[in-house]
Amino acid sequence: MYIPKQVLIILKLLNQQGYEAYLIGGCVRDLYLNKLPEDYDIATNALPDAIMQVFAKFKLVLTGINHGTITVIIEQMPIEITTYRVDGEYLDNRRPEQVTFTLELERDALRRDFTMNAMAYHPTEGLFDFCGGQEDIIKKSIRAVGNPEQRFREDGLRMLRALRFAAVLGFSIEDKTKSSIILNCELLTGLAKERVQAEFSKLLLGLYATSVLLEFRQVLEFCIPELRQLKQMQYEKSIQALKNTAPKLGLRLACCLQALEVGEVKAVLQGLKYSKSIINEVTSILLAKELLIQTDKLRLKKALQCYGQEVLEHALSIMLASTLEACENIRIQKSVELLAEIIREKPCISLKSLAIDGQDLQDLGITQGKQIGEILQQLLLEVMSEQLVNEKSHLYLRAEKLKKDGNA
């Protein structure tokens, strides 16, 4: 298992002072699966005060100290070190009201969510597996540590985490754990929307998101109640399309929510505390999708002018992924090819790319700002529809005619 030198430094310094220290949780799971962990967590029998003494020369972040966690930053890499602990009662389905420190690694492991996340590792001592995590990883099974209902009532987000792990890793959820998720999914309604959003986003980007969301629709509906209004066929069509779309968050959200009205989609994303940029991206994709139901070259140019190339490509990819009828698929594929042709041509689709501007029209004697704007827009429309060549001489002649005809 490759372990960064910053992590090895922490293990070494704690061990040199006589303390136990182990990699714990998701990073051990990822290392076991030959994946590169996003971060590394360390568990130790050293109390928080002792941790601060050992790493006094390093930058420390103490925001988690009440729960025994101190973040040490070594060569710009933040690493969380947490004292072995036993959690007290959970009253808010999120955090324990109090924690009790323990000297036993096994007791710390037994408080964790899933068996595959309850393993510990030390470079010289090897792997510690108190809950059967290795066996479950080999079986590709997600199983709660101990009583699944207790685990989920401690923190309801663990249910969504189970779905996320299934979507990302392609694992199945063990029967008792699955049954408990179905029975307790109403707990998701009381969670902070930011936490739900973070897990849902990771789930959507998973390679196996489609199968998970088809199997656990009722769980998703507690996160997004608006989905309850959809018929099963509408829901399945949207979710099935996910597997044929690129793993980009805005695109996947648009695909998943495409059966809802655009206004509803915006409200859903706002409720889940997505950023304005994501909300704008998703709603633009869905609006462009509506615009592209009937497509010709001019309509595509107008859509390109309004939404930009990436949004149009995303909208068309959703349409392709969601289409079952062969004839409809052929029509959309033609639109994809036509868009590619338009992009290659680098068409004039904005006033900036017109060969004349407002100053040129003033030279023709058109002085009022409103009139200048109207003529420029008319010229742009005729260029976009290929009625007029975007060359200065042609545009001058057309502007003169519009002026004489009284349109100026």
Side-chain angles (χ1 to χ4, degrees), residues 39 140-141 178 197 235 306 355:
D39 48 43
K140 296 187 175 182
S141 177
K178 177 180 175 180
Q197 178 231 102
Y235 180 81
C306 183

Side-chain angles (χ1 to χ4, degrees), residues 213-226:
L213 292 176
L214 288 175
E215 184 177 5
F216 291 94
R217 174 178 178 173
Q218 65 192 96
V219 177
L220 184 59
E221 287 175 349
F222 277 97
C223 302
I224 306 175
E226 290 83 354

Side-chain angles (χ1 to χ4, degrees), residues 117-128:
N117 296 333
M119 299 187 298
Y121 178 76
H122 190 280
T124 58
E125 297 178 40
L127 191 69
F128 292 78

Side-chain angles (χ1 to χ4, degrees), residues 303-342:
L304 190 61
Q305 176 190 54
C306 183
Y307 298 111
Q309 178 180 340
E310 184 177 38
V311 167
L312 252 64
E313 289 174 343
H314 285 348
L316 287 168
S317 72
I318 289 176
M319 294 169 74
L320 274 175
S322 306
T323 301
L324 301 177
E325 298 82 4
C327 59
E328 183 68 6
N329 191 285
I330 291 171
R331 185 191 69 77
I332 298 169
Q333 188 61 50
K334 286 181 178 179
S335 295
V336 172
E337 293 168 0
L338 184 56
L339 177 62
E341 178 186 324
I342 291 170

Side-chain angles (χ1 to χ4, degrees), residues 32-33 115-116 119 127 129 132-142 171:
Y32 193 89
L33 289 166
T115 59
M116 64 181 183
M119 299 187 298
L127 191 69
D129 180 10
Q134 292 180 85
E135 183 180 352
D136 285 331
I137 288 175
I138 292 169
K139 293 191 299 185
K140 296 187 175 182
S141 177
I142 299 168
F171 287 14

Side-chain angles (χ1 to χ4, degrees), residues 348 350-364 366 372 375-380 383 388-400 402:
C348 172
S350 68
L351 292 177
K352 284 184 178 181
S353 54
L354 269 178
I356 66 173
D357 57 21
Q359 183 59 54
D360 294 317
L361 295 187
Q362 289 182 40
D363 294 342
L364 291 176
I366 306 168
I372 290 172
I375 288 185
L376 287 174
Q377 288 294 343
Q378 181 62 30
L379 293 174
L380 178 61
V383 169
L388 187 62
V389 178
N390 187 31
E391 293 178 1
K392 207 160 205 175
S393 58
H394 292 267
L395 296 175
Y396 266 129
L397 288 172
R398 181 57 178 150
E400 285 277 17
L402 289 170

